[in-house]
Amino acid sequence: RRVAVTSSPNASDKPLLAVLRGERRDPPPIWMMRQAGRYLPEYRALRAEKGGFLDLVYDPAAAAEVTLQPLRRFPMDGAILFSDILITPYALGQDLAFAAGEGPRLSPPLGNAALESLQPHPERLEPIYETVRRVKAELSPQTTFLGFAGSPWTVATYM
């Protein structure tokens, strides 16, 4: 599997990007797939304060805080953007809700004919862009900033 790695003026200072380019580093860089999250008491407190999951995702200050919380506790080499893979279909015009005990729900469900009926809402991405700006401003030059995207199949299945 190929991984696209972009270069930047200080990309060589980022251990995670160096390893993805094939370099060996000692110690090897670390990050965890479920890095943000539910296990941290500070996350649980912020989540309780904000209410719903989308309220947390759509508050750039809170989402940036959640992104950065694990880095304050552990020496991770990558920060993972706190968001959700279903923000894309939400920005494409579907409604998104998280049902307690059930998970995410997009509506209306789409069939081939319904795709043309979506009305894009690019403004739904602006809080995510602001979160990215805030996190980037806080990261050390050695820390790689990672986004997460669902495969087209995964996102289409939800849709």
Side-chain angles (χ1 to χ4, degrees), residues 1-5 19-22 31 33 146-152:
R1 185 168 157 212
R2 295 189 76 158
V3 175
V5 178
V19 168
L20 290 174
R21 283 193 310 272
W31 64 277
M33 184 66 161
L146 303 163
F148 180 79
S151 73

Side-chain angles (χ1 to χ4, degrees), residues 36-37 40 42-70 72 80-83 127-128 130-135 138 145:
L40 293 177
E42 56 267 38
Y43 168 84
R44 290 193 302 267
L46 188 55
R47 172 78 187 265
E49 175 188 324
K50 291 297 171 185
F53 178 77
L54 281 179
D55 295 322
L56 192 56
V57 168
Y58 272 92
D59 179 331
E65 172 63 20
V66 170
T67 300
L68 296 167
Q69 284 174 348
R72 295 187 188 113
I80 302 169
L81 176 66
F82 179 78
S83 188
I128 310 306
E130 179 59 25
T131 299
V132 168
R133 286 187 284 273
R134 288 171 181 251
V135 171
E138 295 289 324
F145 191 11

Side-chain angles (χ1 to χ4, degrees), residues 3-8 10-23 25 29 77 142-146:
V3 175
V5 178
T6 58
S7 292
S8 65
N10 61 353
S12 62
D13 296 338
K14 297 181 184 290
L16 186 56
L17 292 182
V19 168
L20 290 174
R21 283 193 310 272
E23 295 177 26
R25 292 288 175 109
D77 293 291
Q142 294 78 31
T143 304
T144 301
F145 191 11
L146 303 163

Side-chain angles (χ1 to χ4, degrees), residues 24-45:
R24 292 194 181 274
R25 292 288 175 109
D26 188 25
I30 59 169
W31 64 277
M32 295 181 178
M33 184 66 161
R34 295 284 181 185
Q35 190 164 299
R38 297 174 268 199
Y39 62 93
L40 293 177
E42 56 267 38
Y43 168 84
R44 290 193 302 267

